């Protein structure tokens, strides 16, 4: 009774946590969506195991369609894509990510075809059809033996590209835990298949470790993400129904719990990405740049972007961007290559939209007008 209760709690928490990660602006990013899909997959696997323990499939045979699908093929795929997106290798793997789902698609189609015969009774496979199914089943086993270990092992080599040591530590730990569960499951399943061992007790232990992955991700993983600094913040987020149900509403600073305001520091992942966009891609030179455009690039809401900039810099978003524009103008003034440019042309080149905005921003940042600054450096 206690055992199945723990499984049920983990299933529920896995689905809720996955929804929170997908819907909340605090966690909205390409990498995190694969983490959410991984939690959904793990929750489905545990739910099917709970159904098996309670003999639900005997009462509802058609549920075998979901149970016989090898959802486990999705776990290494989502784990790998989560890590790849963390290290910004998406361009390299963007066109190839569908390859990660081929084993799952192959297995799902094979098992559905088989279940349409054995479970639904839609048709009866001929002897030659059964031979083909058996051959395809051997291919499925081969895919399991090769694919499930390969992606996690390959992921270990990709983690070295992570620059943040604390982030690398948390992701390495997460990868190790998930990989260990996958490897033990694979060995256990193959032992039961080829040697006819009773693997029920081992599977119970594996399921228990799977619940640990969900709990650990909720209370430790998110903490290490630096998006929620303490357990109270996580608790408030997971129990804030409006965070899931009303995500279409604009984010207002007053609606953000105090815990989140305190948790935003200069090492915030999105702020670091914003800094890179300004320093390396020079997005501030776009005169039409606004909060919404930048928020879309970062994969967060405009309200949360304002919160990050306000908390870390003490200024609003417009002033933050104009500071980069002012620094760009200062560099142009000092660069002989721009000696034939007028000050206004430099300002427009840096992204300012008018002379008034340019002069006011320059004065606010440097304490001097552009003309005064130009005269001081000559």
């Amino acid at each position: 009774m206690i055992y199945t209760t723990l499984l049920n709690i983990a299933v529920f928490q896995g689905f809720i946590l996955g929804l929170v990660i997908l819907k909340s602006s605090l966690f909205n990013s390409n990498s995190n969506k694969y983490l959410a899909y991984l939690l959904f997959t793990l929750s489905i696997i545990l739910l099917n195991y709970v159904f098996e323990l309670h003999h639900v499939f005997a009462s509802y045979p058609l549920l075998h369609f979901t149970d016989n699908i090898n959802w486990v093929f999705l776990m290494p795929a989502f784990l790998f894509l989560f890590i790849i997106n963390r290290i910004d290798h998406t361009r390299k793997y963007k066109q190839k990510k569908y390859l990660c789902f081929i084993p799952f698609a192959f297995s799902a189609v094979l098992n559905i075809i088989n279940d349409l015969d054995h479970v639904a009774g839609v048709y009866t496979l001929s002897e030659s059809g059964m031979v083909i199914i058996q051959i395809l089943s051997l291919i499925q086993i081969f895919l399991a033996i090769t694919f499930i270990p390969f992606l996690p092992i390959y992921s270990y080599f990709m983690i070295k590209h992570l620059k943040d040591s604390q982030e690398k530590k948390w992701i390495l730990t997460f990868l190790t835990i998930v990989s260990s569960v996958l490897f033990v499951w694979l060995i256990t399943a193959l032992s039961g298949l080829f040697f006819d061992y009773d693997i029920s007790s081992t599977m119970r232990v594996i399921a228990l470790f799977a619940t640990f992955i969900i709990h650990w991700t909720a209370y430790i993983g998110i903490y290490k993400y630096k998006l929620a600094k303490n357990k109270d913040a996580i608790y408030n987020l997971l129990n804030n129904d409006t965070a899931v149900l009303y995500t279409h509403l604009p984010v207002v600073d007053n609606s953000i719990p105090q815990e989140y305001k305190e948790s935003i520091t200069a090492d915030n992942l999105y702020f670091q990405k914003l800094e890179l966009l300004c320093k390396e891609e020079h997005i501030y030179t776009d005169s039409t740049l606004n909060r919404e455009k930048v928020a879309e690039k970062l994969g967060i809401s405009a309200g949360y972007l304002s919160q990050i900039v306000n908390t870390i810099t003490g200024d609003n978003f417009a002033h933050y961007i104009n500071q980069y524009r002012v620094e760009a103008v200062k560099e142009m003034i000092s660069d002989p290559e721009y000696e034939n440019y007028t000050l206004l042309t430099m300002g427009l080149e840096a992204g300012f939209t008018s002379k008034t905005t340019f002069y006011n921003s320059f004065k606010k940042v440097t304490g001097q007008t552009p003309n005064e600054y130009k005269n001081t450096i000559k």
Side-chain angles (χ1 to χ4, degrees):
M1 178 66 180
I2 296 177
Y3 178 77
T4 54
T5 300
L6 289 174
L7 294 182
N8 285 324
I9 291 173
V11 169
F12 177 76
Q13 187 178 35
F15 281 119
I16 294 299
L17 182 58
L19 285 173
V20 168
I21 292 174
L22 285 178
K23 296 294 184 179
S24 173
S25 61
L26 287 173
F27 308 104
N28 186 3
S29 70
N30 284 332
S31 61
N32 286 349
K33 73 179 182 181
Y34 291 112
L35 178 61
Y37 298 152
L38 176 62
L39 292 172
F40 287 146
T41 302
L42 191 55
S43 298
I44 292 172
I45 293 172
L46 287 175
L47 182 61
N48 282 327
Y49 185 64
V50 170
F51 285 165
E52 183 180 335
L53 292 176
H54 287 284
H55 308 291
V56 174
F57 297 119
S59 303
Y60 303 94
L62 291 180
L63 285 177
H64 275 294
F65 276 93
T66 62
D67 182 46
N68 290 337
I69 292 177
N70 287 315
W71 299 98
V72 71
F73 276 115
L74 288 176
M75 290 190 62
F78 289 140
L79 181 63
F80 173 73
L81 291 171
F82 164 66
I83 292 173
I84 288 298
N85 278 267
R86 296 302 297 173
I87 59 179
D88 294 328
H89 273 54
T90 49
R91 290 182 182 178
K92 182 178 179 182
Y93 293 96
K94 188 174 183 181
Q95 303 300 324
K96 300 179 181 179
K97 67 180 181 181
Y98 69 90
L99 295 174
C100 297
F101 301 104
I102 289 178
F104 171 75
F106 175 85
S107 174
V109 171
L110 174 62
N111 286 294
I112 289 173
I113 291 173
N114 201 28
D115 286 345
L116 287 174
D117 175 11
H118 291 82
V119 177
V122 174
Y123 51 73
T124 301
L125 290 170
S126 62
E127 289 187 11
S128 58
M130 290 301 299
V131 170
I132 294 174
I133 291 293
Q134 289 173 0
I135 294 172
L136 294 177
S137 297
L138 291 175
I139 296 175
Q140 178 181 236
I141 294 172
F142 174 77
L143 287 174
I145 294 172
T146 55
F147 175 78
I148 292 177
F150 171 74
L151 279 185
I153 292 173
Y154 185 52
S155 298
Y156 275 102
F157 293 98
M158 301 309 297
I159 286 180
K160 66 182 181 182
H161 296 290
L162 282 169
K163 297 179 180 179
D164 188 299
S165 58
Q166 190 173 7
E167 183 183 24
K168 183 185 294 185
K169 182 180 178 181
W170 121 249
I171 292 181
L172 183 62
T173 305
F174 180 72
L175 174 61
T176 302
I177 293 173
V178 177
S179 299
S180 298
V181 171
L182 282 172
F183 292 162
V184 173
W185 174 88
L186 181 61
I187 293 171
T188 302
L190 292 175
S191 299
L193 181 64
F194 291 115
F195 303 107
D196 201 25
Y197 287 158
D198 181 8
I199 60 173
S200 57
S201 58
T202 308
M203 284 299 185
R204 289 174 69 90
V205 175
I206 294 173
L208 199 59
F209 271 97
T211 66
F212 170 76
I213 292 174
I214 294 175
H215 297 313
W216 187 84
T217 304
Y219 296 104
I220 303 298
I222 290 179
Y223 171 80
K224 291 293 184 181
Y225 263 127
K226 303 175 185 177
L227 295 177
K229 284 285 186 180
N230 54 54
K231 293 182 180 181
D232 291 335
I234 296 171
Y235 177 83
N236 288 336
L237 181 63
L238 294 178
N239 289 277
N240 184 1
D241 292 337
T242 59
V244 177
L245 298 177
Y246 301 105
T247 52
H248 61 284
L249 297 177
V251 178
V252 181
D253 285 347
N254 290 336
S255 68
I256 303 296
Q258 184 63 30
E259 290 90 342
Y260 302 148
K261 294 181 179 180
E262 294 174 355
S263 70
I264 297 176
T265 57
D267 58 3
N268 179 277
L269 175 64
Y270 296 115
F271 184 72
Q272 291 175 358
K273 289 186 175 181
L274 176 59
E275 291 273 84
L276 287 174
L277 286 173
C278 291
K279 292 177 181 178
E280 296 184 5
E281 297 188 20
H282 309 294
I283 59 170
Y284 53 82
T285 58
D286 178 4
S287 60
T288 65
L289 191 72
N290 55 31
R291 279 191 322 160
E292 286 69 25
K293 282 188 176 182
V294 177
E296 186 177 355
K297 282 179 176 288
L298 296 175
I300 59 178
S301 70
Y304 183 49
L305 173 60
S306 291
Q307 184 201 357
I308 292 174
V309 174
N310 291 345
T311 304
I312 295 175
T313 69
D315 288 311
N316 59 35
F317 174 78
H319 182 65
Y320 170 81
I321 293 297
N322 284 338
Q323 283 181 306
Y324 276 101
R325 289 169 174 163
V326 169
E327 290 302 317
V329 172
K330 288 167 63 178
E331 290 179 10
M332 281 189 268
I333 291 174
S334 304
D335 191 343
E337 184 180 342
Y338 295 92
E339 62 182 357
N340 294 325
Y341 280 50
T342 65
L343 288 172
L344 178 57
T345 302
M346 292 181 189
L348 297 176
E349 189 80 13
F352 287 106
T353 55
S354 68
K355 181 177 179 179
T356 302
T357 305
F358 167 40
Y359 272 67
N360 288 342
S361 297
F362 199 97
K363 177 79 172 179
K364 184 176 181 179
V365 172
T366 67
Q368 299 175 302
T369 65
N371 289 305
E372 290 170 342
Y373 178 82
K374 185 176 182 179
N375 291 331
T376 60
I377 65 171
K378 286 186 177 180

